[in-house]
Amino acid sequence: MPVRLLKIIKGQSKTPLPSHLQKENLQHLQEGCDHTNKYIQGIVTLSYPLTKLGDGTDFFKIVLQDSDNLSSKINSINVLIYGQMAEDCAKIICHGETFIVAGFKVIKLPTAREDGRHGCHLEVSEEAGSTIYICTKSGTTAASETASVSVAPKYVYTPLNHLKDGTIVNLYGVVKFFKPPYISKGTDYCSVVTLVDPSNVKLTCNLFNGNLDSLPKIYKVGDIVRFHRIKIREYNGQMQGITSGGFASLTFDGTVGAPVVPRTSSKEYTFMDEEQKTIEELRIWAASNISISGPAAKLSGVQPMLFFDLTCQLVGKAKVDGSSFLLKVWDGTRCPYPTWKVPVEAKDLEGDKVLLHQLRDLAVDILVYDNHVQLAESLKIGSFLRIYSIHTKQASADNEDVSHIEFHLHGGTCYGRGIGVLPESNPDVKELKAFLESVDLAGSLNMESMCSMDVDSTFGSVTVLTDHQDLSNTELKTVTNSTAPQQYRIRAKLRTYKPQKLHQSVKLHCSKCKSLQEVPDRDDFDFILCGSAGTASNPELHNTSWYESVTWTTQNQQQREITIHFVKHDEMLQHPEDTLIMIEGGTLKEIWKLSKRFKCVIPVRSTEDDLELLDLSAPFLLQGNVKYYGCKQCSTPKPMKNLSFLAAEQQPSWEPTEIAQVLGIELLQYVFIMKFTLVDETGALNAYLFDYEKFFQIPASEILTNDFLQQKMQMTMNTLCPPGRKLGDLPWLECFIKSYNVRDAMKNQVYYQIFDTTVAEDMV
């Protein structure tokens, strides 16, 4: 019951206040403090006319004076009342009456006041769970009565293309750009957010609050926000949003399919069932209309002269000088370049000294400047951060020959520069924590120690020859001046290689037609699966002699039907880890989950007579983390009933090569394709690496889905071609190369390929 009239007889209320409430002194009110069981009491000295906000919400403002402290400099406060409570209070409040309020919110004003009123105001509404008691003297009303009941208000949300100057509205929007909260020129925190919605109109909002937690908790472009009571004004022909009295926000993850969980520091808020539909519709719209950046970069992928966002854990911090501050962070990966260590006194460095020593080769120093310093100083060791727009610079000290990488977070807020603290419930933090826990710190230090040695003096070569030991070394000048085809043993240094982004080196190769193709991305697979989901499963193909079938319908709006066929052995189902399954109507996410549970997964669809494979642009088989593809040109797909021959074997192995053979598929093999620029004292040449797994001792089929193998490959390349080193300091590689001719209509060209060579075991 939010508004109650209390009858006063001989100076005492006939109905006492709830026993758990305690009176709060006006002087003690502060934003951010807990006032849950407190109430404020005063005399109404001024009231304003009842008005309606832009969304139709009633709004009523009064000035409350503390009658117990009339001599104090601060003896009155503004009270802002919203919704039904505003309408009720406007009907019954008179000047001079005693006004009591509990369940209020304390909001700090953006500017200091000089009129004797408090630097904060109170916000009161049903949404906040407020209760108002108005004390009337005997005779002014018949009896104590309830003026209204607590009802959750229904809000109207304005599309961005319907905003008007001077209105206060509620709205939903998708974040297209944002600046993390920073200290403004005054004492408030400020955040800038640019929103869009399906009306294709853009709105930039400047949000201010003295309490950092009261600003929207936005972590990335694509997040969805709900703003209540934001003021709209026109500036230079564009609509802008600014915070107003009663401003409140909720933030949601904008990822399609993510849980709809609001981020807010408020303990009280309304969220109606129909709003969940609004969130889901905005997610779907944003997925195809907003350019959302991919995952934040990792330290292992940084390059000089780069600006990037980093999700990391803070392990140390220190003050450097008045305008800069040091943050030591790690993300479990290693920067491929030597990194700058900011000189600070050990006594000034906060953090676990043992952990800092363990992470000395994994943690990097980030120097933050100017307006970011105050926030950096307040960060807690161990917290998880997203640092936006870090700048990597390549530099070298006057007394150093080898350059290093420096990490800077420059002052200002251009391009969204800033620091955000992520809660442990954030999905990116959960993923990072799991990865950090898997890092072998002891092994990491040993690898780094090995890589930091003078490789040239420790090893004769960082590569090993696996055959043809009778061949002697040939200078590169002799190789390039000789006719092809021939084979050579060479000793050279790796000056550079392509591609620098190592995942781009993985291709699919057909050994029959010799074609090469890119590995399809998950979107291609997802598109094919969505297309096949429209084909209903044929019940006549269920439960044959060699497989059992199970069908169910999803509970979401699409009412999608999924059928799984479990292949049997000796007419019996096997343990999941030994079982091949065929699935109709599954999504990419569902198929990935099944592939981790069952030996093999084959996506199929029904025809009139049999099950068949999908388009060969999609993988025909998934086994663990590996997707197997077939060559469209060389394959002649056969019906799935041919698998029954493998199922009838005494111990079916379900090897991909055997499955491909019985299904008429020419299996594509994952290969590394790279170009090495090799040099010695006599010349240089480009040699191509065409390798399945021998050179790196890493299967090309697993590199795209295994973070550890990607780290291992990056470390290997950093050993073969250490970043930042002069040519004379690079290690030697002993390789076999063969020359061959490629002819076209115009000319004959000689190419070189590395073969029968592997990276030394000590290197991997």
Side-chain angles (χ1 to χ4, degrees):
M1 298 182 183
V3 181
R4 295 183 63 91
L5 295 179
L6 300 182
K7 189 173 182 181
I8 303 298
I9 300 176
K10 295 182 179 180
Q12 297 294 324
S13 171
K14 186 175 179 181
T15 305
L17 296 176
S19 59
H20 69 278
L21 292 179
Q22 295 180 341
K23 187 176 181 181
E24 179 73 286
N25 191 315
L26 196 63
Q27 311 298 317
H28 297 162
L29 282 179
Q30 286 186 357
E31 188 181 49
C33 294
D34 186 5
H35 304 289
T36 305
N37 295 319
K38 303 295 180 65
Y39 70 88
I40 290 292
Q41 178 175 328
I43 304 297
V44 179
T45 60
L46 183 63
S47 63
Y48 295 81
L50 178 69
T51 61
K52 285 187 179 292
L53 303 180
D55 62 352
T57 302
D58 288 313
F59 174 72
F60 185 59
K61 176 180 175 181
I62 66 172
V63 177
L64 200 62
Q65 186 177 62
D66 185 357
S67 57
D68 295 333
N69 293 285
L70 293 176
S71 61
S72 172
K73 289 184 179 180
I74 305 296
N75 60 19
S76 62
I77 190 168
N78 290 332
V79 181
L80 312 183
I81 309 171
Y82 299 90
Q84 184 65 47
M85 299 178 82
E87 183 179 353
D88 294 334
C89 288
K91 292 177 182 177
I92 57 179
I93 281 183
C94 298
H95 291 187
E97 287 187 330
T98 299
F99 180 98
I100 300 172
V101 60
F104 49 83
K105 289 176 65 176
V106 180
I107 304 297
K108 182 177 174 59
L109 298 175
T111 57
R113 302 190 66 90
E114 298 179 357
D115 56 4
R117 294 183 194 168
H118 201 285
C120 299
H121 66 239
L122 305 184
E123 293 185 359
V124 182
S125 66
E126 296 95 335
E127 186 178 20
S130 307
T131 305
I132 292 174
Y133 302 89
I134 300 172
C135 303
T136 61
K137 296 179 181 179
S138 179
T140 59
T141 186
S144 177
E145 58 183 349
T146 299
S148 67
V149 294
S150 182
V151 178
K154 183 173 179 63
Y155 291 96
V156 176
Y157 294 97
T158 305
L160 300 187
N161 62 337
H162 289 170
L163 299 176
K164 295 181 180 179
D165 183 31
T167 58
I168 296 178
V169 301
N170 306 320
L171 56 83
Y172 268 98
V174 181
V175 176
K176 187 173 184 179
F177 171 79
F178 72 102
K179 294 182 179 181
Y182 59 92
I183 298 291
S184 65
K185 292 182 179 178
T187 58
D188 282 357
Y189 288 93
C190 175
S191 181
V192 179
V193 185
T194 299
L195 304 179
V196 291
D197 71 0
S199 70
N200 289 318
V201 170
K202 181 174 69 174
L203 176 71
T204 297
C205 303
N206 296 296
L207 311 175
F208 294 88
N209 202 293
N211 182 3
L212 177 62
D213 288 336
S214 295
L215 291 173
K217 300 181 182 300
I218 299 169
Y219 299 142
K220 59 185 176 183
V221 170
D223 277 353
I224 295 170
V225 296
R226 186 190 82 175
F227 290 166
H228 276 186
R229 295 176 291 277
I230 186 164
K231 185 174 183 179
I232 304 300
R233 67 179 182 186
E234 187 173 351
Y235 181 74
N236 286 342
Q238 299 288 329
M239 293 299 175
Q240 289 188 347
I242 57 173
T243 43
S244 66
F247 172 80
S249 69
L250 299 179
T251 310
F252 303 85
D253 190 328
T255 306
V256 175
V260 181
V261 179
R263 305 177 202 142
T264 178
S265 60
S266 175
K267 296 179 181 178
E268 299 286 344
Y269 60 87
T270 59
F271 185 71
M272 314 302 284
D273 290 342
E274 57 264 30
E275 292 186 78
Q276 178 150 343
K277 183 180 178 182
T278 301
I279 300 294
E280 292 169 348
E281 289 174 348
L282 283 173
R283 284 173 169 177
I284 294 170
W285 175 81
S288 56
N289 290 276
I290 301 294
S291 178
I292 299 175
S293 58
K298 294 185 178 296
L299 291 174
S300 57
V302 301
Q303 299 288 333
M305 304 308 295
L306 179 74
F307 288 89
F308 70 102
D309 300 342
L310 178 67
T311 303
C312 55
Q313 185 181 33
L314 179 66
V315 293
K317 65 178 186 175
K319 184 176 182 179
V320 179
D321 55 40
S323 62
S324 61
F325 196 83
L326 167 66
L327 299 178
K328 282 184 174 287
V329 303
W330 76 311
D331 69 354
T333 70
R334 179 180 289 106
C335 177
Y337 296 85
T339 60
W340 180 41
K341 298 302 180 185
V342 178
V344 293
E345 295 287 340
K347 61 181 177 61
D348 296 331
L349 183 62
E350 293 183 47
D352 185 315
K353 297 299 188 286
V354 174
L355 181 61
L356 285 169
H357 180 74
Q358 288 179 309
L359 298 179
R360 65 186 183 275
D361 299 317
L362 289 175
V364 300
D365 290 4
I366 300 177
L367 207 53
V368 307
Y369 299 91
D370 302 335
N371 56 300
H372 307 297
V373 169
Q374 185 174 343
L375 178 58
E377 289 176 336
S378 68
L379 297 174
K380 295 181 179 179
I381 300 296
S383 58
F384 292 91
L385 311 176
R386 183 165 288 148
I387 308 178
Y388 301 91
S389 199
I390 300 173
H391 182 203
T392 58
K393 293 171 60 178
Q394 192 164 18
S396 60
D398 295 337
N399 59 346
E400 292 180 354
D401 294 330
V402 179
S403 62
H404 58 252
I405 288 286
E406 298 177 358
F407 296 87
H408 299 271
L409 181 65
H410 299 297
T413 59
C414 292
Y415 309 105
R417 283 198 292 266
I419 304 171
V421 180
L422 303 180
E424 298 207 8
S425 59
N426 183 278
D428 293 336
V429 170
K430 290 181 179 179
E431 182 180 340
L432 177 59
K433 284 184 68 176
F435 181 66
L436 295 184
E437 290 168 0
S438 70
V439 174
D440 179 6
L441 296 182
S444 172
L445 287 175
N446 291 338
M447 174 66 81
E448 178 63 26
S449 299
M450 180 199 72
C451 292
S452 63
M453 292 179 183
D454 184 345
V455 181
D456 192 23
S457 62
T458 308
F459 304 98
S461 170
V462 292
T463 53
V464 174
L465 308 177
T466 60
D467 204 348
H468 317 291
Q469 301 292 338
D470 55 314
L471 290 178
S472 57
N473 287 334
T474 303
E475 294 178 338
L476 294 186
K477 182 179 180 181
T478 302
V479 173
T480 55
N481 289 335
S482 302
T483 58
Q486 292 193 57
Q487 296 181 356
Y488 306 94
R489 175 176 176 171
I490 65 167
R491 179 176 168 86
K493 298 187 177 190
L494 179 57
R495 184 168 65 192
T496 186
Y497 61 89
K498 292 183 178 179
Q500 288 288 314
K501 295 180 179 179
L502 296 178
H503 67 273
Q504 295 177 349
S505 68
V506 182
K507 312 292 182 187
L508 291 171
H509 175 246
C510 177
S511 58
K512 188 172 183 179
C513 67
K514 309 303 181 185
S515 64
L516 280 174
Q517 68 180 63
E518 298 292 334
V519 180
D521 62 29
R522 57 181 294 153
D523 291 339
D524 297 332
F525 188 16
D526 198 25
F527 179 77
I528 293 171
L529 290 174
C530 290
S532 68
T535 304
S537 180
N538 184 354
E540 295 183 5
L541 301 178
H542 294 186
N543 298 310
T544 68
S545 61
W546 60 284
Y547 61 76
E548 286 188 13
S549 307
V550 176
T551 299
W552 72 93
T553 303
T554 61
Q555 298 302 308
N556 56 21
Q557 294 177 343
Q558 287 77 23
Q559 296 281 298
R560 183 167 43 87
E561 188 178 86
I562 302 172
T563 301
I564 296 182
H565 309 284
F566 299 86
V567 176
K568 297 185 291 187
H569 179 60
D570 289 340
E571 300 185 354
M572 296 183 64
L573 294 176
Q574 305 299 297
H575 293 294
E577 58 270 21
D578 299 321
T579 300
L580 182 146
I581 65 171
M582 300 172 289
I583 180 171
E584 298 182 74
T587 64
L588 181 61
K589 185 177 180 180
E590 290 161 349
I591 289 175
W592 270 122
K593 285 185 177 180
L594 290 168
S595 69
K596 298 185 188 317
R597 175 68 171 151
F598 292 90
K599 175 76 172 180
C600 299
V601 179
I602 300 180
V604 296
R605 63 184 164 215
S606 290
T607 65
E608 186 176 341
D609 303 318
D610 201 351
L611 300 174
E612 67 176 13
L613 295 171
L614 305 182
D615 187 320
L616 286 182
S617 297
F620 74 91
L621 170 70
L622 292 91
Q623 195 172 82
N625 289 327
V626 181
K627 293 179 286 188
Y628 292 91
Y629 294 86
C631 179
K632 287 185 176 182
Q633 182 175 331
C634 302
S635 299
T636 307
K638 299 177 182 178
M640 300 306 296
K641 62 185 177 184
N642 285 276
L643 281 177
S644 61
F645 300 118
L646 290 181
E649 292 181 354
Q650 187 172 359
Q651 288 184 324
S653 63
W654 300 124
E655 286 297 318
T657 51
E658 295 180 357
I659 295 172
Q661 185 176 359
V662 300
L663 293 180
I665 302 298
E666 185 64 38
L667 184 64
L668 293 176
Q669 292 182 291
Y670 287 86
V671 295
F672 294 111
I673 305 291
M674 301 184 72
K675 182 170 79 171
F676 287 3
T677 300
L678 300 170
V679 297
D680 67 5
E681 297 88 343
T682 66
L685 61 78
N686 292 323
Y688 288 88
L689 177 70
F690 182 96
D691 181 67
Y692 297 104
E693 61 179 302
K694 186 176 179 181
F695 183 82
F696 291 108
Q697 302 182 46
I698 296 173
S701 59
E702 297 181 22
I703 192 75
L704 295 178
T705 56
N706 190 310
D707 284 341
F708 173 74
L709 293 181
Q710 290 177 25
Q711 302 280 332
K712 184 177 178 182
M713 184 175 178
Q714 184 68 65
M715 288 301 301
T716 299
M717 291 310 302
N718 290 346
T719 302
L720 302 180
C721 186
R725 289 201 184 186
K726 295 180 179 179
L727 182 60
D729 296 329
L730 297 178
W732 288 102
L733 283 68
E734 279 199 297
C735 306
F736 287 121
I737 62 172
K738 56 186 176 184
S739 59
Y740 58 96
N741 294 303
V742 175
R743 294 181 176 84
D744 58 25
M746 301 296 295
K747 61 179 180 179
N748 176 71
Q749 193 160 350
V750 177
Y751 287 85
Y752 303 93
Q753 180 181 328
I754 297 171
F755 73 103
D756 285 348
T757 306
T758 187
V759 176
E761 288 189 12
D762 290 340
M763 295 292 105
V764 297

